[in-house]
Amino acid sequence: MSLRIGTRGSALALAQTNKVAGILAGQGIEVEVVTITTEGDTATGVPLHAIGGQGVFVRALDDAILRGEIDAAVHSMKDIPAARPAGLTCCAVLERDSPADFLAHEGSLDTVRVVGSSSTRRRAQLLRDDPTLEVKQLRGNVDTRIRKLREGQYDAIVLAEAGLQRLGLTLSGEPLPTDRFVPSPNQGTIAVVCRDDPAVAGAFTALDHAPTRLDVEIERAVMEEVGGGCFTPQGIYCRDGNLIAEVLALDGSRWERIERRIATIDEARECGRALRRQAGGLIREAYAALGIKP
């Protein structure tokens, strides 16, 4: 069997895709890796929410699958939007790597005053932890972000620890605790999307890790009920059924939070609806401040 697997061209995206390709090769499946450029890769001078959020990284690959140019695509699962086109399926969720954010800094932690991040969630959580920080926009691939840190444009930057691990990078700094800096839904997880064809989907069965899939499906169910996308600062993290979910004000000054043991997707949806009721004002406030129509 031979498969064409699409990916973004960044070093991290290629590392993730090559990991999947290596597993498939061990099963005797031939893989051709196809690199596809997305709007999120080219429009790096604007905040992510201004070009449609994390979904811009996925849309071009979805379209390529639906056009028959590739059979499947590998993604950081946190980039995959809640609303999905017909004709596609998530055929594999790999065992989760670290879900944590990593605060990278060259000097002493005490001297960190300017932090780089384009994420509304990370910005809000950083400001909640220390309102005296200045959080400045930072876009681009991992290499670009690290270069800007080393040039002194920022005292620290925030990256996903899993991404650093997949790239084999060791930076000075520390992972941020997931109870205070609750990760994005599905952070640290690699997913494979393919056309809804049993013959194609079946090739990825061995890559699917059932405990991780349940945790991330719980997170996605909460995310779908809360709404707000990447425009609203929200952290949603489940480990072995233990859920932490929160929505924050853009400046981190207020937040609503739920911690609960979740056993089913229905329970997750009920939890998401409850959090949306609690945090409705914060969500509307974020949309208004960012100029986004609900």
Side-chain angles (χ1 to χ4, degrees):
M1 185 177 188
S2 177
L3 292 171
R4 296 161 301 165
I5 300 183
T7 178
R8 294 166 60 199
S10 71
L12 177 57
L14 288 166
Q16 294 175 170
T17 302
N18 288 333
K19 177 177 181 176
V20 170
I23 298 171
L24 293 174
Q27 299 171 350
I29 298 172
E30 186 179 327
V31 173
E32 177 190 355
V33 175
V34 180
T35 303
I36 294 173
T37 301
T38 76
E39 184 183 1
D41 296 307
T42 55
T44 58
V46 294
L48 204 53
H49 66 77
I51 54 173
Q54 293 292 122
V56 299
F57 296 124
V58 177
R59 197 175 305 127
L61 291 158
D62 283 347
D63 290 345
I65 295 172
L66 293 171
R67 288 193 301 265
E69 296 169 8
I70 56 176
D71 300 302
V74 177
H75 299 287
S76 293
M77 194 168 185
K78 72 185 178 79
D79 291 344
I80 300 176
R84 306 296 293 127
L88 301 178
T89 185
C90 179
C91 55
V93 177
L94 278 64
E95 184 173 3
R96 193 175 215 158
D97 298 314
S98 169
D101 288 326
F102 188 89
L103 184 71
H105 51 92
E106 303 274 273
S108 164
L109 185 59
D110 295 339
T111 64
V112 170
R113 304 279 19 108
V114 179
V115 182
S117 175
S118 61
S119 160
T120 58
R121 172 189 63 83
R122 288 170 174 162
R123 180 179 188 276
Q125 290 173 342
L126 287 164
L127 291 173
R128 173 174 63 184
D129 195 63
D130 183 353
T132 68
L133 291 175
E134 180 184 358
V135 184
K136 294 171 61 176
Q137 282 290 329
L138 174 62
R139 290 280 316 283
N141 61 34
V142 173
D143 287 343
T144 299
R145 298 181 194 201
I146 293 172
R147 174 178 56 77
K148 290 181 177 181
L149 170 67
R150 289 176 174 163
E151 287 174 351
Q153 296 185 38
Y154 307 88
D155 300 323
I157 61 175
V158 185
L159 301 160
E161 186 176 38
L164 298 175
Q165 293 169 342
R166 290 169 194 157
L167 289 168
L169 295 175
T170 302
L171 301 180
S172 58
E174 55 278 312
L176 298 173
T178 55
D179 59 337
R180 283 171 38 218
F181 297 86
V182 185
S184 291
N186 303 172
Q187 185 162 306
T189 309
I190 296 172
V192 183
V193 172
C194 72
R195 65 175 181 270
D196 198 359
D197 177 343
V200 176
F204 296 95
T205 301
L207 282 72
D208 197 58
H209 187 255
T212 297
R213 182 181 277 271
L214 178 57
D215 279 341
V216 298
E217 285 181 349
I218 287 170
E219 292 168 8
R220 290 185 80 79
V222 175
M223 174 184 73
E224 289 167 11
E225 295 297 337
V226 171
C230 73
F231 312 118
T232 303
Q234 58 179 288
I236 303 171
Y237 174 50
C238 185
R239 181 178 179 181
D240 299 327
N242 296 303
L243 174 74
I244 305 175
E246 65 178 14
V247 175
L248 299 91
L250 288 167
D251 63 0
S253 61
R254 291 155 291 130
W255 60 90
E256 296 289 345
R257 180 175 173 124
I258 288 176
E259 297 186 34
R260 196 170 296 174
R261 175 77 183 165
I262 302 291
T264 68
I265 300 301
D266 284 345
E267 288 179 6
R269 293 200 175 280
E270 188 281 322
C271 188
R273 289 191 290 271
L275 182 56
R276 182 174 181 83
R277 287 192 295 271
Q278 289 176 212
L282 295 175
I283 295 170
R284 290 189 294 273
E285 187 181 291
Y287 270 72
L290 296 171
I292 307 292
K293 292 184 178 180

